[in-house]
Amino acid sequence: MELIHQFSSGLFIIQSVIFLALLFLLGKFAWKPILKSINDRETSIVDALNQAKLARKEMETLKEDNERIIREAKIERDAILKEAREIKDRIVGEAKDVAKTEGDRMIEAAKQTINAEKNAAMADIKTQIGTLSVNIAESILKQKLDNSEAQNELVQNYLNKSNFN
């Protein structure tokens, strides 16, 4: 059984018309919406990629800004610490100067007080020695000058000494 197919032009035309109608219907109702959804999808993907690029650029910018802010903060921190050290050194130096000046003033005041007390003590000692000397001389003279002959001899010696000086 052999099937022989013969070409039928009527069948060919009908099948061609059906095929073209099917293509028309598919083009009108199926291809346009499919192509439109594909184009919409492509557009949304491109938009998403562009937004991702923008987000990446923003993240890089934020990262650079953060690094810059951190660098500036470190520089400011270092400057504040340096200034604090300088202030501390200046305050310590001023305190040392004030303490030295105050110490020198106290030492000088103590020296003056010591000298004043020493001079007062020396004057007191001289006064006491003078009084004691006068008392001793008075006692000695009273004993020696009990008789008039000793008095005359003492006056004579005194006069002789005063003539030579």
Side-chain angles (χ1 to χ4, degrees):
M1 294 201 193
E2 215 175 278
L3 291 172
I4 298 179
H5 292 285
Q6 288 187 345
F7 178 74
S8 165
S9 61
L11 184 63
F12 176 75
I13 291 174
I14 290 175
Q15 285 179 346
S16 294
V17 169
I18 292 173
F19 180 73
L20 289 175
L22 184 63
L23 278 179
F24 175 75
L25 288 173
L26 283 176
K28 180 111 175 146
F29 297 108
W31 288 109
K32 283 185 181 178
I34 290 172
L35 288 176
K36 184 180 180 304
S37 73
I38 289 173
N39 285 336
D40 290 346
R41 178 75 177 146
E42 182 181 356
T43 304
S44 68
I45 289 172
V46 169
D47 288 345
L49 289 174
N50 288 336
Q51 288 178 355
K53 286 179 185 177
L54 287 175
R56 188 178 306 122
K57 285 181 183 177
E58 286 181 26
M59 288 299 292
E60 288 174 4
T61 304
L62 286 175
K63 184 178 177 184
E64 290 172 2
D65 287 347
N66 285 341
E67 289 173 357
R68 180 185 50 81
I69 290 170
I70 288 171
R71 279 192 310 271
E72 289 174 358
K74 286 180 180 178
I75 291 169
E76 186 175 345
R77 179 202 65 199
D78 292 343
I80 289 170
L81 288 174
K82 180 181 176 190
E83 183 180 351
R85 279 188 216 105
E86 289 172 355
I87 290 172
K88 177 198 75 154
D89 292 343
R90 188 183 72 226
I91 290 172
V92 167
E94 289 174 358
K96 284 181 181 178
D97 291 344
V98 168
K100 185 179 182 321
T101 303
E102 186 65 21
D104 290 346
R105 187 190 62 75
M106 290 174 69
I107 289 171
E108 187 59 34
K111 284 180 181 178
Q112 289 177 357
T113 302
I114 289 170
N115 282 336
E117 289 179 6
K118 178 179 142 187
N119 291 338
M122 291 297 284
D124 188 41
I125 288 173
K126 285 180 183 178
T127 303
Q128 288 178 5
I129 288 174
T131 303
L132 186 60
S133 296
V134 168
N135 288 340
I136 290 172
E138 184 180 337
S139 296
I140 292 173
L141 285 177
K142 278 185 183 177
Q143 288 175 0
K144 279 194 164 190
L145 297 179
D146 278 345
N147 61 31
S148 63
E149 188 178 307
Q151 287 178 5
N152 286 334
E153 188 179 319
L154 180 64
V155 170
Q156 196 61 28
N157 282 339
Y158 184 70
L159 288 175
N160 288 336
K161 284 183 184 179
S162 61
N163 284 338
F164 292 118
N165 288 336

